[in-house]
Amino acid sequence: MCIYIHIYTHIYTYTCSHKHTYDHSCLTLEYGISSAAVARNWGDKLGAWVDHMHPHDASEGSVWHPGSGEATGFFRDFNIYAGAIELVCMCIMLRGMNVSKITVDVITIAKLLLVVFMTITGFSFLRPSNLEPFAPSGFRGIFRGGTRCFFGYLGFDEVCCMGGEAKNPSKSIPLAVMGTISVVTVLYILASLALVGMQPFADITPSSGFAEAFRFNNLGWAANTVTAGELLTLPLVVLVSLLAQPRLQYAMAQDGLLPAVFGHVDRNGNLFKGTLIAGTVGVVVALFLPFRALEDVISAGVLIAFNLTNTALVVSRRVHPIRPSANRILALAFNVLALSACFMWKNLGTILPWLPLNVLVTAAAVVPLVLLHVTCPDHPSQDGHFTTPLVPWVPALGSAFNWFLLTQLSWEGLGLVLAFLGGSLFLYATYGWRNSKGGKTGWMEVLAASVRRHSRHPSEVDPGLIEGLLGEGEWEGGEERLRGGRRGGKEKEGDGGQEGQRQAVQEVQPDLRKAGDMIST
């Protein structure tokens, strides 16, 4: 399922360049900025440990005691440890040193053992009185906490991206995703119960909760063990997260959405310049932005990226037989109404006189889904592989839940996400549109190449899929002409095959331009 969603996302985002930009922008939050956030979290833990070891120095406030109190002024948000670990990871990547699978496996096992140790030891000192009331902030607090926990689930989509390297992806990838999510969920629940059982929830330290909770129970050896384990294992997370960002920039540069410097490969095969740029930005972010601000921004970005995936799946699978653009209009209407309903339930709740309006908007969000189900036939894969069932209901349910989680974030975090996406749109408008492949040649050609690349039969392209993605009439006759162009190029291989292909492309250029113009609107 995840493989098909990823493929559908790739195809759909190619049809709309601004959606392609937003998707990559959200993934930048997931990879590049999350690397800085983990580095900041590591720096906060190290700073808390330094404060504990030298409490008298911490009271004075200095660059070596970040966040030690209001009297520290500038150093309250400046964390030299976070910037240092981000800088070290960047230097490792610049040297072209890749982390081996054995290293990753060893540190992953160490992290799991550390979590198990914290959980079992925490339950040994659990006080039932700390669990009353069980939900002091009500359901809003639970959803708010769930949104924050969402940060810890980042990276599961990377499992889907490894489908091409799996021996049996149709079986192993779904098992890997569901297995890891199940294990992480169980560990989250047990560890959370152990933590709040050891110490009253109001006294839990955000940066180093378990370590301080163990000290609260006079378990200094356990606190030191937890601190050492976290300080030793978190840098790998920083490195792995940062590792994906230059490759994302490279893909965008290949599409023309970023300058060529981001796609530059040195003689050793490393993305040196792209890594240097991404790493420098990460160092600055880790130095100056607190984890509480980065946490909400990254969670919001990933939630939006996941909903782009859900929408891409609906648009790819559900196509109107007469008006192919209807699926995009209905999908957009559902997302707008669902997001509006979630904001209304979050801020207005069940208070009269707003309750009937909340119910009305929620019911209105279901209408586009019903119309999609009734008027747009489903076009699942016919190659025998697993496809997502109950489209559009399953992806729509995921989108609605993601929108509701998004509304739980702070206004500060949402504002930063909107500013980030606005900057991405400005970059696209000033540079990406005129330099992207779709902006130069039209998206029909790019889309057809993308479908062929992901198809089991590269020579065949489903006209219904292309027409559904592009809109009415944009693909009619286009594939046949492109096929003719390819045949013409092969026939002239002996004397100027490239010239034949160029001539074929020129023949369909008016249609390509028309498709590109209609997509841009």
Side-chain angles (χ1 to χ4, degrees):
M1 176 178 65
C2 295
I3 297 174
Y4 278 97
I5 291 177
H6 178 70
I7 292 174
Y8 283 135
T9 304
H10 185 79
I11 296 172
Y12 181 65
T13 50
Y14 259 122
T15 66
C16 301
S17 185
H18 57 282
K19 292 184 177 64
H20 191 44
T21 303
Y22 277 142
D23 196 39
H24 280 82
S25 299
C26 294
L27 292 178
T28 296
L29 292 175
E30 181 176 355
Y31 298 133
I33 305 302
S34 69
S35 172
V38 176
R40 184 60 187 241
N41 185 249
W42 183 88
D44 290 343
K45 294 179 184 298
L46 181 58
W49 180 76
V50 172
D51 292 347
H52 175 75
M53 298 299 294
H54 303 279
H56 299 293
D57 296 338
S59 61
E60 300 175 2
S62 70
V63 69
W64 305 110
H65 295 273
S68 54
E70 293 295 333
T72 59
F74 172 78
F75 299 116
R76 182 178 47 151
D77 288 332
F78 181 86
N79 193 308
I80 192 172
Y81 304 119
I85 193 63
E86 185 82 6
L87 180 63
V88 169
C89 291
M90 180 186 72
C91 292
I92 292 175
M93 290 177 56
L94 290 175
R95 294 286 297 174
M97 298 175 62
N98 295 324
V99 182
S100 67
K101 181 179 180 298
I102 295 178
T103 303
V104 174
D105 290 344
V106 169
I107 295 183
T108 300
I109 293 174
K111 288 174 67 68
L112 287 173
L113 293 176
L114 180 64
V115 173
V116 172
F117 165 77
M118 293 188 300
T119 304
I120 294 177
T121 308
F123 273 116
S124 302
F125 292 85
L126 186 144
R127 296 183 179 89
S129 60
N130 290 336
L131 300 178
E132 298 177 0
F134 189 76
S137 300
F139 281 103
R140 288 193 176 187
I142 293 175
F143 282 113
R144 173 64 175 154
T147 307
R148 293 205 169 202
C149 288
F150 195 85
F151 180 91
Y153 284 81
L154 304 184
F156 287 110
D157 55 332
E158 292 189 50
V159 177
C160 306
C161 297
M162 301 301 292
E165 302 180 26
K167 293 182 180 180
N168 188 8
S170 61
K171 179 180 179 181
S172 58
I173 296 298
L175 288 177
V177 172
M178 297 305 299
T180 51
I181 289 180
S182 300
V183 170
V184 170
T185 301
V186 172
L187 291 177
Y188 254 115
I189 294 173
L190 295 178
S192 299
L193 284 174
L195 179 58
V196 298
M198 281 194 296
Q199 187 177 18
F201 75 94
D203 300 330
I204 294 175
T205 305
S207 60
S208 54
F210 268 97
E212 295 302 323
F214 284 135
R215 292 192 180 97
F216 178 81
N217 288 275
N218 298 318
L219 295 175
W221 63 272
N224 292 331
T225 301
V226 169
T227 301
E230 291 177 333
L231 293 178
L232 289 174
T233 56
L234 276 181
L236 179 66
V237 182
V238 178
L239 180 62
V240 172
S241 298
L242 185 60
L243 193 67
Q245 182 58 30
R247 285 148 181 80
L248 179 64
Q249 295 169 174
Y250 173 82
M252 295 184 70
Q254 292 295 105
D255 291 336
L257 295 172
L258 284 179
V261 64
F262 290 95
H264 178 265
V265 181
D266 63 15
R267 60 183 180 180
N268 297 321
N270 299 324
L271 299 171
F272 186 90
K273 295 181 180 179
T275 301
L276 183 63
I277 296 173
T280 302
V281 173
V283 169
V284 174
V285 171
L287 280 173
F288 293 100
L289 291 183
F291 180 75
R292 63 180 179 274
L294 297 174
E295 182 182 29
D296 283 354
V297 172
I298 295 169
S299 295
V302 177
L303 287 169
I304 294 173
F306 282 5
N307 275 2
L308 288 174
T309 302
N310 290 328
T311 304
L313 175 60
V314 172
V315 170
S316 301
R317 286 275 297 272
R318 290 282 180 170
V319 180
H320 195 282
I322 301 176
R323 296 185 60 84
S325 60
N327 55 358
R328 291 175 290 174
I329 297 173
L330 292 173
L332 177 62
F334 163 75
N335 281 285
V336 171
L337 291 171
L339 180 59
S340 302
C342 291
F343 266 112
M344 294 176 67
W345 284 109
K346 165 64 170 55
N347 296 288
L348 303 177
T350 58
I351 301 175
L352 293 174
W354 302 110
L355 179 59
L357 181 60
N358 294 351
V359 174
L360 180 63
V361 176
T362 303
V366 181
V367 174
L369 298 179
V370 175
L371 293 176
L372 270 170
H373 181 77
V374 174
T375 63
C376 301
D378 191 7
H379 295 278
S381 174
Q382 302 297 326
D383 57 7
H385 287 78
F386 176 80
T387 55
T388 305
L390 300 177
V391 176
W393 305 106
V394 170
L397 180 62
S399 294
F401 192 73
N402 288 342
W403 288 134
F404 188 75
L405 289 178
L406 184 71
T407 61
Q408 308 304 310
L409 299 174
S410 65
W411 289 107
E412 178 188 15
L414 293 176
L416 289 174
V417 169
L418 291 177
F420 180 80
L421 294 179
S424 302
L425 181 60
F426 177 78
L427 176 63
Y428 168 71
T430 56
Y431 180 87
W433 170 247
R434 68 174 184 271
N435 291 283
S436 63
K437 291 182 179 179
K440 291 180 178 179
T441 63
W443 285 106
M444 184 191 297
E445 184 181 8
V446 178
L447 178 60
S450 178
V451 174
R452 292 191 193 94
R453 185 162 60 251
H454 291 294
S455 175
R456 297 185 65 187
H457 304 286
S459 61
E460 300 178 4
V461 178
D462 182 5
L465 173 61
I466 305 295
E467 188 176 7
L469 293 172
L470 286 177
E472 297 180 45
E474 292 134 355
W475 179 246
E476 185 176 355
E479 172 60 12
E480 184 61 32
R481 296 170 69 178
L482 286 177
R483 285 178 179 174
R486 290 197 301 273
R487 286 196 298 267
K490 291 181 179 179
E491 292 171 0
K492 297 181 181 181
E493 246 173 31
D495 65 355
Q498 292 183 353
E499 181 62 26
Q501 294 178 1
R502 189 180 300 110
Q503 181 179 357
V505 172
Q506 290 176 352
E507 290 177 359
V508 299
Q509 195 69 22
D511 290 339
L512 300 179
R513 291 293 182 187
K514 177 184 176 184
D517 292 339
M518 295 187 69
I519 291 171
S520 65
T521 59

